[in-house]
Amino acid sequence: ANMTGSASNQLRSAYVAESTAGTTPSSPSFKTTDVPILMNATPSIYESKTLIAGGARGGVGVSGLDVSGTLSGTFIYGNYDLWLETLLQGAFATNVLKDAKTIKTLTVENAIPAGVGGTLTMMRYRGVQATGGSLTLSSDADVQFSFDVQGIGSDIATTSAIGSSSYTNPSEKIPLQSGVDVGTIVYNGYTLNCMESSTINFAYENRERQTKLSSLDLCGITRGAFVPTITARMYIEANFLAIYNAARANHTPFSVTYPLGSVSSKKYTLIFPLCTFSGGDIDFSGADAMQDITIMPQYSASDACVLKLTRAVS
């Protein structure tokens, strides 16, 4: 009998926090995701060539696994907080998350039936963390997030579940929207004109794989330097002058606040305490005259962070 192949929407993507990086909990309480965690463990292949076969390959082996992937989709309050902790290398304390240098990792499990009605096959990836990403706010659209993902190791695929593993679905379903769910964006000291779109890019420099001998796993992933950028596209009205001039000269650093969410106790506030403009270009290429702003957040000694992200805001 023929068996229809699996559809991609039959995938179950799930994750669980690790207490030791690269070690899956023995009785994991997995959380499932609304969107796929697109993971791959790509083998590093080495080969030997032989004169016996006129220089053709004589043998092939595997020297390591590159565990990487992406996680992206509509941003929903509360559903990606553990991923934000791995991204910022910190932990929520009294609902406040700051960028730090701690190690936060997850085990990711992707399960897919082998054809319709087929046996569930599970692929697991250990020591997984978001190593970069972005939040995109566009008018007339939902809030979008995207994470670059890396891991320390990958297990062989199996049809066996881990011990007494459990699976909990995300409780929140309503996506954050660019209208009522984006609060008043504040650049302290500057009165903003009407904003069309804005993106926060959580960039890390030198956050890279640490390979090791005698194993297909990594030693880990370097902590990296947190160098985010904020871009915004604004209509030119009465207030563009101050930003335009500041971006072209040395100016006093200012704080930037992005509130996300409209339901009490289900809101985020992102505060970059110390920022400077690095560009305020004027764009006449479209029907509207626009100003494209680039902002470079920097380290704030008084806040001991670059970014302060607060959840459960009323």
Side-chain angles (χ1 to χ4, degrees), residues 23 35 55 59 84 135 140 159-160 173 189 191 226 232 250 264 268 286 302 312:
T23 301
V35 294
L84 289 169
L135 273 179
D140 287 343
T159 56
S160 300
K173 296 296 180 188
T191 303
F226 187 42
N250 290 329
S264 182
Y268 296 110
S302 59

Side-chain angles (χ1 to χ4, degrees), residues 101 188 241 276:
K101 291 287 189 256
N188 192 43
L241 174 70
T276 52

Side-chain angles (χ1 to χ4, degrees), residues 13-297:
S13 271
Y15 62 94
V16 62
E18 299 172 344
S19 54
T20 302
T23 301
T24 304
S26 56
S27 297
S29 300
F30 283 104
K31 297 184 177 185
T32 61
T33 57
D34 292 311
V35 294
I37 307 169
L38 300 173
M39 298 293 298
N40 280 303
T42 306
S44 301
I45 301 294
Y46 65 91
E47 60 188 39
S48 64
K49 296 172 182 173
T50 173
L51 294 176
I52 298 167
R57 293 186 187 95
V60 173
V62 176
S63 60
L65 291 174
D66 180 6
V67 180
S68 59
T70 57
L71 173 61
S72 62
T74 298
F75 195 56
I76 298 174
Y77 178 83
N79 287 2
Y80 303 100
D81 286 3
L82 281 178
W83 287 96
L84 289 169
E85 287 188 338
T86 72
L87 173 67
L88 295 176
Q89 307 173 135
F92 278 101
T94 323
N95 288 323
V96 175
L97 173 62
K98 297 181 178 182
D99 55 282
K101 291 287 189 256
T102 58
I103 296 176
K104 285 283 184 177
T105 58
L106 308 166
T107 290
V108 169
E109 181 186 87
N110 281 336
I112 188 78
V116 173
T119 303
L120 204 62
T121 299
M122 284 153 280
M123 297 151 285
R124 299 189 187 107
Y125 310 89
R126 295 174 283 102
V128 174
Q129 52 189 283
T131 55
S134 63
L135 273 179
T136 302
L137 316 176
S138 301
S139 51
D140 287 343
D142 51 1
V143 177
Q144 290 283 313
F145 79 96
S146 178
F147 293 145
D148 299 317
V149 174
Q150 286 194 346
I152 290 175
S154 172
D155 298 332
I156 59 171
T158 179
T159 56
S160 300
I162 300 175
S164 57
S165 52
S166 62
Y167 298 86
T168 304
N169 294 329
S171 55
E172 300 295 330
K173 296 296 180 188
I174 302 174
L176 294 177
Q177 301 293 324
S178 65
V180 294
D181 289 322
V182 177
T184 301
I185 297 171
V186 175
Y187 299 173
N188 192 43
Y190 297 89
T191 303
L192 302 182
N193 287 328
C194 193
M195 193 176 289
E196 180 196 61
S197 60
S198 184
T199 296
I200 300 169
N201 183 17
F202 302 103
Y204 275 88
E205 289 181 351
N206 301 320
R207 196 165 174 185
E208 297 172 356
R209 304 166 70 241
Q210 296 174 312
T211 55
K212 72 175 177 182
L213 283 171
S214 309
S215 175
L216 296 185
D217 285 5
L218 304 179
C219 280
I221 295 167
T222 46
R223 297 298 77 209
F226 187 42
V227 283
T229 56
I230 300 169
T231 55
R233 188 164 169 83
M234 294 169 57
Y235 298 97
I236 290 183
E237 298 177 20
N239 302 309
F240 85 98
L241 174 70
I243 292 176
Y244 180 79
N245 285 337
R248 289 153 48 88
N250 290 329
H251 55 279
T252 304
F254 54 95
S255 66
V256 169
T257 303
Y258 278 69
L260 294 179
S262 58
V263 178
S264 182
S265 79
K266 294 183 179 181
K267 301 178 187 177
Y268 296 110
T269 302
L270 285 74
I271 296 178
F272 298 87
L274 213 59
C275 295
T276 52
F277 295 111
S278 66
D281 293 346
I282 308 302
D283 179 9
F284 298 118
S285 63
D288 294 301
M290 306 294 290
Q291 185 175 26
D292 290 318
I293 298 165
T294 304
I295 291 172
M296 296 190 303

